[in-house]
Amino acid sequence: MTDLGALAGKRILLVISGGIAAYKCLELIRRLKERGAAVRCILTRGGAQFVTPLAVSALSEEKVYQELWSLTDEAEMGHIRLSREADLVVVAPASADLLARMAAGMADDLASTTLLATDKPVMVAPAMNVMMWQHPATQANMATLRSRGVRQIGPNSGDMACGEVGSGRMSEPHEILAAIAGFFAEASGPRPLAGRRALVTSGPTHEPIDPVRYIANRSSGKQGHAIAAALSALGAEVTLVSGPTAEPDPAGCRVVRVETAREMLAACEAALPSDMAVCAAAVADWRVDVAAGQKLKKEGAGPPALHLAENPDILAALARRDAGRPALVVGFAAETESVVEHARAKLARKGCDWIVANDVSAGTGTFGGESNAVHLIRRDGAPESWPRMGKDEVARRLAQEIAAALGGAAAR
Ligand code: C5P
């Protein structure tokens, strides 16, 4: 549960763009004010079609800013000041159009100009029709914004005002409120990993058979991405090397996308030196020795024989480096029986310092699910069994354990 007390005294600049979800921002303003935050609002022309400046002004107890070329607005509060006199800029609802203009760096109205001029963190709550949200243009714009550090909350799935069902519904006011409070709690929290570098692997790998087929596995990347985010939240400078996943890039991390195990190893080695390495990726054990240059055809004498070759073990390669070994190397072990014993043996075999072991036997719901029940096994020490908890919480606890273990100087 996020501590909403983190909102007291914080200054939020809320940009309300056009969309039926704009009505929800009135509730958001009220809740922010209740918790002692100061809220100043920019209402776009589209936003003003859905909520009135009077309602926004009455709830925020502030003047509402609407026009870029307004002499009175600029005289009272120029758009530069507006963008700087806030602790956080929240765009809710964030329309497809405003996201596109933000991604393109446009500055043709007060909202886009302010967003371009700001030096403050920005959080967006997308709200639009499901097809608009899923359109590759919107997804590419959102990916661009995330890569620049913009935080994303939602959208949710469900019934939409347009009558369709799917993803694109703006997060509820209480969810946005919690995300804003979480941001401030994180920003003011301890940063014990400041100045340290972290390398995290996540997701599956894809090993090509021919130009259209590949060997893969069911890893979602949820746990690895959550660990990258949690280490970053504690101040680490994180490089996340990820196989193909549908997970959004965690804010604040450098993300290197790869397909194969060999690419993953190369990207990890390029990211060294690092103080810590957490290998959460489900790397394919084997690849097709020589992938076909052309699509394999069905005609011929039966199915092709796939000759497999062993992939490099990235965890073992990092853990067994002579020079530049990260001070703490953490591996994962997915087991279906004798979880702790097998994980101990794996720790010794790979040469890592800790293993996070989880039971992925049928019915546990760990694969692709939101929760995980893990055991933390250190090279020297009794295994710790953690109760089942969300993957985000596993990540936070693991990051705290790592921070507690890493004393001494950073790798630079
Ligand atoms: O041997 P196994 O795949 O069960 O080991 C799991 C651990 O090893 C995980 O931390 C995984 O990220 C890592 N691993 C790796 N490279 C491989 C195979 C596994 O980094 N080729």
Side-chain angles (χ1 to χ4, degrees), residues 159-178:
D159 291 338
M160 312 237 271
C162 57
E164 292 182 17
V165 179
S167 182
R169 226 167 88 145
M170 188 172 85
S171 297
E172 296 303 319
H174 70 90
E175 294 171 310
I176 302 176
L177 190 80

Side-chain angles (χ1 to χ4, degrees), residues 207-210 215 262 286-292 306-309:
E207 309 294 336
I209 296 171
D210 66 16
I215 300 174
R262 287 187 293 176
W286 305 287
R287 66 176 181 276
V288 174
D289 195 4
V290 183
L306 296 182
H307 187 263
L308 301 182

Side-chain angles (χ1 to χ4, degrees), residues 2-3 5-7 10 151 180-194 230-236 396 400 403:
T2 313
D3 176 14
L7 290 167
K10 294 295 185 289
R151 283 149 207 271
I180 296 172
F183 164 80
F184 286 117
E186 194 182 300
S188 63
R191 292 171 71 78
L193 291 175
L231 291 170
S232 171
L234 294 190
R396 268 194 289 274
Q400 278 161 6

Side-chain angles (χ1 to χ4, degrees), residues 166-253:
S167 182
R169 226 167 88 145
M170 188 172 85
S171 297
E172 296 303 319
H174 70 90
E175 294 171 310
I176 302 176
L177 190 80
I180 296 172
F183 164 80
F184 286 117
E186 194 182 300
S188 63
R191 292 171 71 78
L193 291 175
R196 295 187 175 277
R197 293 167 62 125
L199 169 62
V200 180
T201 71
S202 183
T205 62
H206 285 183
E207 309 294 336
I209 296 171
D210 66 16
V212 297
R213 305 179 179 97
Y214 56 84
I215 300 174
N217 61 64
R218 294 185 192 281
S219 165
S220 63
K222 281 190 200 321
Q223 187 64 81
H225 278 55
I227 290 167
L231 291 170
S232 171
L234 294 190
E237 193 185 307
V238 180
T239 299
L240 171 64
V241 180
S242 175
T245 78
E247 286 296 295
D249 291 352
C253 300

Side-chain angles (χ1 to χ4, degrees), residues 201 279-285 311-316 330-334 346 349-350:
T201 71
C279 294
V283 183
D285 291 316
N311 264 332
D313 191 313
I314 298 162
L315 173 62
V330 183
F332 273 70
K346 189 166 289 179
R349 207 165 54 240
K350 307 242 183 189

